Amino acid sequence: MLSKLTLAFLLFLLAPQTPPPRRAVQNNTVISDREPAVQIQLPISAKYVGEDHFVLLGFDNCDLFAFVDTDAHRRVQHLYWIQFEAYSPSKPDAHHQYASPRHTPIANMDFYVDTWLRANSEPATPGSDLDHLNALLRANGYITPPAMMSVRLVHTLDDNRKELMIIYSEDIAPTGFTLQDLQTGSAAHTKWPAIEQALINRAKQKIAIH
């Protein structure tokens, strides 16, 4: 006859075991053990906002991690948005597609590079990853500035079915220009290429990938 201790041990072995998390946050570092296996280290000043795990469009599994630099009133000055994505096997023909011709190597990985300007008043598509990010920021009491400029770095894996996306955003105000000043067709738009390149450089300096 089995002892109660032996029976309990056997039941433990037979019970379905919850797999360990693939990704975790330690201080200012996001650690992923696969797809891809990386450590993404952010500046010590960056505050961890939180994370969200959701299925985008019904078949794209996302792990989102957010960090911010803020002023004393919790107004966001710099935003660090890190996201891992993987299409569900139920959508074998789905692939991530990026049209940007620009690339940059980081930690022996190739990243697509693109940038944009965006007003905070522009509504996010309901259920989108931006919608999830904004909800996370609001829930933790952070205030985004009227307009931000962003650089997106994307590394794709597994025939473009999985990806690591890193978005770094800054308040536009410290540039001395408004969103309207820097948009295509404005008189100050000629200043944008230099501002854009400096933004990309800062992103690569602030975000260390190992």
Side-chain angles (χ1 to χ4, degrees), residues 19-63:
R22 290 182 297 175
R23 299 174 183 110
V25 174
Q26 293 184 7
N27 299 320
N28 62 327
T29 302
V30 178
I31 301 171
S32 173
D33 66 10
R34 56 191 180 276
E35 298 172 351
V38 290
Q39 294 188 16
I40 303 168
Q41 185 176 4
L42 306 176
I44 295 176
S45 61
K47 303 177 182 69
Y48 176 51
V49 177
E51 59 192 74
D52 193 2
H53 307 276
F54 55 96
V55 180
L56 182 63
L57 304 175
F59 50 83
D60 193 8
N61 298 292
C62 298
D63 294 338

Side-chain angles (χ1 to χ4, degrees), residues 74-109:
R74 300 178 74 83
R75 290 189 290 250
V76 175
Q77 297 172 320
H78 309 136
L79 168 68
Y80 307 86
W81 172 2
I82 298 167
Q83 188 163 300
F84 300 84
E85 297 185 32
Y87 279 118
S88 166
S90 66
K91 291 289 183 178
D93 297 325
H95 299 84
H96 297 288
Q97 298 182 13
Y98 292 94
S100 174
R102 291 186 290 181
H103 293 252
T104 188
I106 306 176
N108 296 319
M109 295 187 294

